Amino acid sequence: IAINAHANAVRNPRAIVREPLSLERYLESRIISSPLCLYDCDRYADGSTVIIVSAADALDEVTCRPVRIAGASAGVARFSWDQGEWLGAYPTGTQLWEKTDYRPDQVDVAQLYDGFSFITVMWLEALGFCGRSEAGDFIEGGSRIALGGALPLNTGGGQLGGGRLHGFGFAHEAVVQLRGNGGARQVPGEPRIAVATSGGGPDSTALLLACDG
């Protein structure tokens, strides 16, 4: 997760990280809170994100390619991080698919919250990209989640490489990808469906976006 985030951040001119991360450097870095090392923790940043939500009948006033909200889910639980058997990402991830005809295998690009790297792993399972306790095998080697992989992940560098914007950066990057404006980090082909998430512990949100043209 961390190595992928750094690789994508290097392609993003607005990201904090400017050099790739090797597996050796990752493994040699200091432990912050076991088992999380320095590179498993997001990077605080000064930044801002603007998201404009418009009614569909106002699209004749929009000059850019519109992106449709195809689904959304959220949850707030009262437990703390160490009290829940399955944290908030899991019910929120399941709920996202309950009111849409889209399914996980149709998603072209995923922007999954990475306040810490393990939260991203949790979201992969929660959203049904793999089974519970199967995310390790799913991301093994990094090719599946790389920019040209089956599920490009955190293409702007996420918060591990791009900088922490408290989840709004993931929604922004999803729109960038669906509009084909990613530049050097653009997902190959023409991505049409994206998912973006925030949180995942006691509170969590998930957003499904689609570009129809």
Side-chain angles (χ1 to χ4, degrees):
I1 297 296
I3 291 171
N4 180 72
H6 279 238
N8 289 334
V10 171
R11 303 182 180 101
N12 180 1
R14 295 183 177 180
I16 292 177
V17 168
R18 303 313 315 151
E19 61 180 35
L21 174 66
S22 67
L23 179 59
E24 291 73 21
R25 186 151 60 96
Y26 171 85
L27 293 173
E28 291 171 356
S29 64
R30 71 180 186 273
I31 295 294
I32 302 300
S33 180
S34 182
L36 304 179
C37 74
L38 176 67
Y39 297 111
D40 290 311
C41 307
D42 63 13
R43 296 169 180 263
Y44 279 90
D46 291 327
S48 61
T49 304
V50 176
I51 298 174
I52 298 174
V53 181
S54 173
D57 58 9
L59 292 182
D60 58 346
E61 304 174 17
V62 177
T63 58
C64 59
R65 179 184 298 172
V67 173
R68 176 169 55 88
I69 298 175
S73 62
V76 178
R78 294 184 180 275
F79 59 79
S80 297
W81 280 95
D82 60 350
Q83 294 177 321
E85 180 179 2
W86 297 103
L87 297 183
Y90 289 91
T92 298
T94 299
Q95 292 165 11
L96 181 65
W97 308 110
E98 292 179 351
K99 295 184 178 180
T100 178
D101 292 331
Y102 292 115
R103 291 294 174 261
D105 60 3
Q106 295 176 279
V107 173
D108 297 308
V109 59
Q111 313 294 340
L112 306 183
Y113 192 80
D114 60 351
F116 302 102
S117 58
F118 80 91
I119 303 178
T120 314
V121 174
M122 185 169 62
W123 274 115
L124 288 169
E125 297 180 356
L127 288 163
F129 294 120
C130 60
R132 294 190 180 191
S133 302
E134 295 179 358
D137 291 334
F138 185 84
I139 65 174
E140 179 69 29
S143 60
R144 181 178 274 121
I145 60 173
L147 193 63
L151 185 68
L153 176 67
N154 293 353
T155 52
Q159 298 181 149
L160 297 178
R164 180 184 178 91
L165 294 177
H166 295 278
F168 284 97
F170 295 107
H172 175 270
E173 179 65 17
V175 172
V176 167
Q177 290 293 330
L178 293 181
R179 287 179 174 167
N181 295 333
R185 68 184 190 277
Q186 178 63 44
V187 171
E190 296 184 357
R192 287 291 176 263
I193 303 172
V195 64
T197 67
S198 181
D203 57 343
S204 55
T205 60
L207 184 65
L208 186 67
L209 301 175
C211 187
D212 300 316

